[in-house]
Amino acid sequence: MSLPPIINGSKSRITLDTKNVFIECTATDFTKANIVLDTVVAMFSEYAANPFSVEPVTVNYVNESQEVVNSYVSPQMFTRKETATVKFVNSLIGINVEAEKMVELCSKIQLGPAQLLPGTTEDEGPILEVTVPPTRSDILHAVDIAEDIGIAFGYNNIERKVPQTCTVGGEQPLNQLSDLLREEIARAGYIE
């Protein structure tokens, strides 16, 4: 990441008296650019005169005759909902936390507001629905929610247990082949 106007330019230097900041992001991957832009804008917006307020910009794409052919508003700052069953989270982490406590833990890990939804079956139990902010692009599915709840619960608070099954670990043949190919291709001078 490079921030030339902040570190190099005397006319564009950010000071305590700076009132307006335009944040621009360039990348070869549009999705990744939006993730980075949303994260940086969200972090900067904390220090705005009206905290967590952002002025969006309309980006227009024009053709050779200067006609607008496509446009979008940026930053997008999307939030989304993800779900995980309380039973799944408890079994994956190896804990037994009440559903209401999980909702509290979600506010510690920037996944709030969280709420409990009724499960589709009685055996499934309640479903934890979390709100994923634009700054948490690392939350992709239920396993990520469980991992964060484990962190908020505290790994040192998880009771150590001997597994009920006995297995022997080993590398999958496809992974072994992939590793061998990756090493040989890298030795030949190619980059992944």
Side-chain angles (χ1 to χ4, degrees):
M1 175 180 269
S2 173
L3 302 169
I6 295 174
I7 58 176
N8 291 340
S10 60
K11 288 185 179 181
S12 60
R13 181 173 289 139
I14 291 179
T15 68
L16 293 175
D17 298 324
T18 302
K19 300 291 183 214
N20 296 306
V21 177
F22 180 78
I23 300 172
E24 181 267 339
C25 182
T26 305
T28 56
D29 184 321
F30 185 71
T31 302
K32 298 285 189 260
N34 280 320
I35 289 170
V36 169
L37 184 64
D38 284 355
T39 302
V40 172
V41 167
M43 295 297 115
F44 263 86
S45 71
E46 182 177 357
Y47 304 102
N50 185 9
F52 302 106
S53 64
V54 174
E55 186 177 331
V57 174
T58 301
V59 178
N60 294 322
Y61 290 96
V62 295
N63 60 13
E64 294 83 23
S65 48
Q66 298 303 310
E67 297 170 348
V68 176
V69 292
N70 193 9
S71 67
Y72 68 95
V73 176
S74 180
Q76 296 171 345
M77 305 299 282
F78 290 134
T79 60
R80 58 189 168 79
K81 304 284 187 184
E82 288 291 335
T83 60
T85 64
V86 171
K87 185 176 181 180
F88 171 77
V89 172
N90 278 328
S91 68
L92 192 65
I93 303 170
I95 58 177
N96 189 18
V97 174
E98 295 294 322
E100 292 77 19
K101 176 71 174 168
M102 279 192 194
V103 171
E104 289 176 30
L105 291 173
C106 286
S107 64
K108 284 181 161 182
I109 52 177
Q110 300 176 359
L111 293 179
Q115 65 178 347
L116 293 171
L117 304 173
T120 54
T121 65
E122 203 173 296
D123 185 44
E124 183 181 53
I127 298 172
L128 179 68
E129 182 184 69
V130 300
T131 305
V132 182
T135 55
R136 293 300 311 270
S137 59
D138 61 316
I139 304 295
L140 302 176
H141 38 66
V143 174
D144 299 317
I145 296 169
E147 177 188 20
D148 276 17
I149 288 173
I151 292 167
F153 181 77
Y155 287 144
N156 292 333
N157 297 326
I158 300 173
E159 183 183 327
R160 291 181 184 211
K161 298 177 188 173
V162 176
Q164 294 178 358
T165 58
C166 183
T167 61
V168 176
E171 191 174 12
Q172 293 288 330
L174 182 60
N175 290 348
Q176 193 174 21
L177 176 63
S178 296
D179 289 343
L180 290 171
L181 283 172
R182 189 177 299 114
E183 288 175 15
E184 289 302 319
I185 291 170
R187 284 188 190 114
Y190 293 97
I191 300 172
E192 280 188 70

